[in-house]
Amino acid sequence: MGAEAASGPVEAEVVDGVQTVEIEAGRMGYAPREIRLQAGVPTRLVFTRTVEDECSSQVTLPAYGVEATDLPLGEPVAIEFTPTEAGEVEWVCGMDMQRGTIAVVS
Ligand SMILES: [Cu+2]
């Protein structure tokens, strides 16, 4: 899955009707940092933290009620929700510093 820094939003891969994106929480922040999702399709974002850094040890997605979720070092953690309407939402680290952008399209 493309995680190159300079590319545009990464499209989700749909697996069994669930749009899925793998996201690394690493030294340079999130990779990818921008993703694109379809409204109305169940979504699974799989975060893997690859740095010791406290900053990225939790992730949250307030727009869809995903509370601060622990990201143990090196362990993939899935957060699941269904985007309901087109627009832009963000996921943020537990300290509200690092963030990533989700473009929801209908
Ligand atoms: Cu942080």
Side-chain angles (χ1 to χ4, degrees), residues 4-105:
E4 294 81 12
S7 56
V10 168
E11 301 275 352
E13 180 185 355
V14 178
V15 181
D16 293 334
V18 178
Q19 49 187 348
T20 303
V21 185
E22 294 182 10
I23 299 168
E24 178 186 356
R27 191 164 306 283
M28 304 299 287
Y30 296 106
R33 201 179 295 255
E34 291 175 55
I35 66 174
R36 185 179 358 233
L37 299 174
Q38 286 284 332
V41 179
T43 298
R44 180 179 298 131
L45 304 184
V46 183
F47 286 88
T48 305
R49 175 163 67 100
T50 59
V51 283
E52 284 288 349
D53 196 355
E54 270 296 299
C55 180
S56 49
S57 64
Q58 288 190 319
V59 66
T60 175
L61 205 165
Y64 286 105
V66 177
E67 295 181 357
T69 302
D70 288 331
L71 301 179
L73 185 62
E75 271 181 48
V77 174
I79 65 173
E80 298 183 336
F81 60 97
T82 301
T84 51
E85 54 185 310
E88 198 170 280
V89 296
E90 290 185 322
W91 71 84
V92 296
C93 76
M95 297 172 182
D96 199 19
M97 293 157 53
Q98 307 264 22
R99 57 194 63 234
T101 305
I102 303 172
V104 181
V105 297

